[in-house]
Amino acid sequence: MDQDSHCRAERELLEGVSRITTSSTPSPSDEEQNQPKAEISCHVRKEGPEKDDLQDSNASLSPNSSMTTKELQQYWRNEKRQCRQVQLLFEIPSTRIVEHHLSKYVMYKIIILQTGSFDSSKSVIERRYSDFERLHRNLLEEFSEEMEDVTFPKKTLTGNFTEEIINERKLAFKDYLRLLYSMKYIRRSKKFIDFLTRPELQEAYGCLRGGQYTKALEILLEVIGLQERLTRGNPLSVVPTLCAVVVCHKDLENPASAFEYGEKALSHLRVHTSHRYYIPLLETMITLAYELGRDFLSLQEKLEEWKAKKDPVRVFTLKELAVREYVK
């Protein structure tokens, strides 16, 4: 076959394929052609769960008009809880019975996980019944209205150490923490955050004061991730813990790690130069930067700038401030 014949055959084949494709594609009917564009765009919009769909979904959940005011309030309270996106997940997988001198109690192991991310880190703490009881009592003082429908497992006179009672409380405390965390004002409250972090921080600072820097650092690094997650709206509250980590690393002669955590703490204090930790941290960072061969002049300028604006007052060192934290 010559070249012209080959090209002609190829064209005929392509034309045949084109005719088949065209005939297989349905043409719009007269009704579809006359359909208003606005209506068509509406169909396109409804292919995904957009805002309109969510509104329709909410409309289908409307309460009965015969509800009383109290029932209506309870209905919307429950709806808000169900629709709220949970960021932390609480699990109580196990317990252990502790016998100490004349006392005997159950310790509940609480695992706190972050949801909605690829962060695989988790926090593990232990609390006993009396810790939960104290938290509940403290929250009732401040959030009596929010806590109105929150039930707390009652203490029994007998059988507190049976497997049945312990398992019931494991589930009850898990639901209890989940419910508290679902309430914005409670999960941001100091009382709730202290329940989850204060015992570990007290232990860590006790080790720091005793010169047990390795042990203190181990506990601080374990709890700081949870503390940061719980106080996202208030990063200043994490500054003392970050500075305690700086002190531990510095005394353990890990200047690079100390400088890393110091930079993180300093970033939280950038617009809070009157904070009690600002100048002690700045002075420590200048020393670390000089030791590491990094830029310390910019830090020195900040220090001189602060001193020029403020009257000279006695300032504690970073370590002096750290050892004063959580002193009973």
Side-chain angles (χ1 to χ4, degrees):
M1 181 182 291
D2 58 17
Q3 187 173 359
D4 292 340
S5 299
H6 179 78
C7 291
R8 187 167 56 254
E10 192 174 273
R11 282 197 303 271
E12 290 174 355
L13 178 63
L14 290 173
E15 288 172 0
V17 171
S18 177
R19 284 195 299 271
I20 293 172
T21 306
T22 305
S23 62
S24 63
T25 304
S27 59
S29 64
D30 294 339
E31 184 180 351
E32 288 174 330
Q33 287 177 344
N34 296 329
Q35 189 176 19
K37 291 182 179 180
E39 190 175 347
I40 294 174
S41 65
C42 180
H43 287 314
V44 172
R45 231 180 333 131
K46 287 191 176 182
E47 288 179 358
E50 299 295 339
K51 183 177 179 181
D52 291 344
D53 297 287
L54 295 177
Q55 289 175 344
D56 292 341
S57 176
N58 290 336
S60 66
L61 296 174
S62 299
N64 191 304
S65 58
S66 62
M67 283 184 174
T68 64
T69 302
K70 187 174 182 179
E71 289 172 337
L72 191 62
Q73 290 173 343
Q74 180 61 40
Y75 172 88
W76 288 119
R77 190 180 297 131
N78 291 335
E79 286 299 316
K80 287 179 182 178
R81 287 174 185 167
Q82 291 174 8
C83 296
R84 186 177 291 112
Q85 183 179 1
V86 177
Q87 294 175 331
L88 291 182
L89 195 65
F90 298 89
E91 296 290 342
I92 304 181
S94 61
T95 61
R96 63 186 179 94
I97 297 176
V98 178
E99 295 190 51
H100 185 69
H101 297 303
L102 299 177
S103 63
K104 183 179 179 182
Y105 52 88
V106 179
M107 293 294 289
Y108 296 85
K109 181 179 181 180
I110 306 169
I111 297 179
I112 306 163
L113 302 165
Q114 184 173 357
T115 62
S117 76
F118 293 103
D119 185 4
S120 60
S121 62
K122 62 183 179 181
S123 300
V124 182
I125 60 176
E126 282 190 317
R127 296 293 182 268
R128 54 187 292 188
Y129 181 93
S130 59
D131 296 325
F132 281 97
E133 192 175 38
R134 189 181 307 110
L135 169 67
H136 190 71
R137 187 167 58 249
N138 290 339
L139 290 177
L140 282 173
E141 293 176 359
E142 188 175 352
F143 304 101
S144 57
E145 185 177 344
E146 289 84 350
M147 298 286 290
E148 183 180 1
D149 300 319
V150 179
T151 58
F152 187 81
K154 295 180 180 179
K155 184 178 288 186
T156 58
L157 296 176
T158 60
N160 286 303
F161 302 101
T162 64
E163 184 177 354
E164 182 182 359
I165 293 296
I166 291 175
N167 286 333
E168 284 180 3
R169 286 183 178 171
K170 276 169 55 179
L171 294 173
F173 284 142
K174 173 186 171 180
D175 290 339
Y176 178 74
L177 290 174
R178 179 190 58 79
L179 184 56
L180 293 182
Y181 184 77
S182 72
M183 302 178 191
K184 182 176 67 174
Y185 294 109
I186 290 181
R187 73 167 173 264
R188 291 180 179 178
S189 70
K190 186 177 183 300
K191 292 175 180 178
F192 182 67
I193 294 171
D194 279 353
F195 168 79
L196 295 170
T197 61
R198 189 178 179 90
E200 285 72 25
L201 288 172
Q202 285 178 326
E203 182 183 0
Y205 278 99
C207 292
L208 191 155
R209 284 189 289 272
Q212 300 175 7
Y213 301 115
T214 302
K215 180 65 175 175
L217 185 60
E218 179 185 334
I219 302 171
L220 288 168
L221 293 178
E222 183 74 25
V223 75
I224 196 169
L226 174 60
Q227 193 180 24
E228 286 177 331
R229 291 185 183 104
L230 289 167
T231 59
R232 279 177 180 163
N234 181 23
L236 285 180
S237 60
V238 191
V239 167
T241 312
L242 289 170
C243 289
V245 172
V246 172
V247 169
C248 290
H249 274 306
K250 188 173 183 296
D251 279 31
L252 290 170
E253 299 182 357
N254 300 325
S257 297
F259 192 82
E260 177 188 346
Y261 280 91
E263 281 187 316
K264 195 171 184 179
L266 208 54
S267 69
H268 293 328
L269 297 175
R270 197 154 287 155
V271 293
H272 301 279
T273 57
S274 60
H275 195 281
R276 60 195 173 98
Y277 269 90
Y278 180 69
I279 293 304
L281 176 60
L282 207 52
E283 291 175 338
T284 300
M285 290 294 285
I286 292 170
T287 302
L288 290 169
Y290 183 80
E291 184 180 347
L292 293 167
R294 302 191 186 186
D295 173 31
F296 64 89
L297 293 177
S298 59
L299 296 170
Q300 187 71 46
E301 287 175 4
K302 290 180 182 178
L303 181 61
E304 297 301 328
E305 181 182 346
W306 187 91
K307 288 181 177 180
K309 292 180 180 179
K310 305 284 183 179
D311 294 329
V313 292
R314 179 174 180 260
V315 178
F316 291 110
T317 66
L318 194 67
K319 188 171 183 178
E320 287 173 339
L321 274 180
V323 298
R324 282 169 169 77
E325 293 285 345
Y326 293 97
V327 175
K328 293 181 179 180

